[in-house]
Amino acid sequence: MNIFDIFAQQLDNNTLQGMANKLGVNNEQLAGALGSAVPILMNALQNNASTAEGAGSLLNALQKDHDGSIFSQLGNVLSNPSAFKADGILGHILGSNQKKVEEYIGQTNGLSAGISGQLLQMLAPMLMGLLGQQQKQSNLDAGGLFDMLTKNNQNIQQKAPVQMSFIEKLLDRNNDGSIMDDVLNIGMSIFKSRR
C-alpha cells in the first residue's frame, strides 16, 4: 500500500466534511483538490530529500516534531494549521514555488488560490505526521526515508505519467513553469468515494 492510500484511510468522513466546510467547497471540489495537492506535496518532499543533507533534515524534523499523533487532533489542525508548523513546512518543501502550486491547484479545480493555500496549510502537517508515523514504524534512516518517498512517487508515476511529469516541471526550481489547465485526477476517486 502506498502513502497516498494510507493517508486516505486516515481521513474519516467527518474530517473530510470538516475540511470542505472550512474551505467553503463542495465534496467534488475537495476531492479534486486533494487529488492534486497530495501528489504535489509528496513529490516536493522527495525532491527535498534527494540529497543527503535534505534527507537528514527531513528525518530530523520527523523525529523531533512529527510522530503521527496529529491524527488524534485533526479538528485542531483544520481550525489552526499554523499551530502545527504548516507555514514552515510549506516554505521549506515548496519554497518560491508555493504560489505557483496554489494557483495550479486552484485553476484545475475551480478554486481560488487562497482556498488552495488553506488546503495546503491543512495537508502539510498531516503528511509530515504520516511520514513520521511510517518512519517510526519501519525504523527508517534518512536513506530509507528517501527510498520510501521515491517508491511512492514511482507508483503514482506509473498510474499517471503525464500528470506526474507536469508536477515535476511545476516544482522545477529552474523552470519558470507557466500554469497549465490540465486536470490532475491522481487519487481523486479515493476521496470522492468517501463522501
Side-chain angles (χ1 to χ4, degrees):
M1 183 177 293
N2 64 40
I3 292 173
F4 196 100
D5 295 330
I6 297 169
F7 183 63
Q9 289 181 355
Q10 297 277 10
L11 303 182
D12 61 25
N13 290 331
N14 287 337
T15 301
L16 291 172
Q17 192 59 57
M19 292 175 81
N21 292 343
K22 185 73 175 176
L23 297 170
V25 300
N26 62 41
N27 291 332
E28 187 169 338
Q29 288 173 313
L30 178 64
L34 286 168
S36 301
V38 174
I40 288 173
L41 290 174
M42 294 306 299
N43 193 278
L45 281 163
Q46 180 193 345
N47 287 347
N48 275 267
S50 61
T51 65
E53 181 182 358
S57 177
L58 176 59
L59 178 63
N60 183 58
L62 295 179
Q63 292 177 330
K64 182 180 176 186
D65 296 314
H66 306 282
D67 60 2
S69 60
I70 192 170
F71 292 105
S72 66
Q73 45 189 327
L74 289 179
N76 295 332
V77 179
L78 301 189
S79 61
N80 187 17
S82 294
F84 297 85
K85 304 186 178 183
D87 294 318
I89 295 167
L90 289 171
H92 186 73
I93 65 174
L94 294 178
S96 61
N97 289 307
Q98 186 170 338
K99 291 294 182 190
K100 194 187 299 183
V101 168
E102 290 171 0
E103 290 171 5
Y104 172 73
I105 293 170
Q107 286 184 10
T108 55
N109 295 287
L111 307 174
S112 70
I115 296 294
S116 299
Q118 289 179 51
L119 176 64
L120 290 173
Q121 291 261 325
M122 295 174 188
L123 290 175
M126 291 183 197
L127 286 172
M128 288 293 284
L130 180 67
L131 285 181
Q133 189 181 73
Q134 297 301 305
Q135 182 276 325
K136 189 175 181 180
Q137 286 177 1
S138 301
N139 194 28
L140 299 173
D141 60 11
L145 189 60
F146 175 71
D147 288 344
M148 180 181 69
L149 288 166
T150 300
K151 287 175 185 174
N152 177 76
N153 289 331
Q154 285 173 344
N155 185 36
I156 297 173
Q157 174 83 40
Q158 290 172 356
K159 292 179 181 177
V162 174
Q163 290 90 340
M164 281 300 287
S165 174
F166 177 72
I167 291 171
E168 289 166 4
K169 289 176 185 173
L170 182 67
L171 296 174
D172 182 357
R173 299 187 195 286
N174 299 319
N175 189 332
D176 62 2
S178 61
I179 301 302
M180 298 168 65
D181 293 329
D182 299 332
V183 177
L184 182 60
N185 290 316
I186 303 170
M188 187 172 170
S189 60
I190 293 173
F191 295 103
K192 264 190 172 178
S193 65
R194 307 200 36 224
R195 287 187 291 179

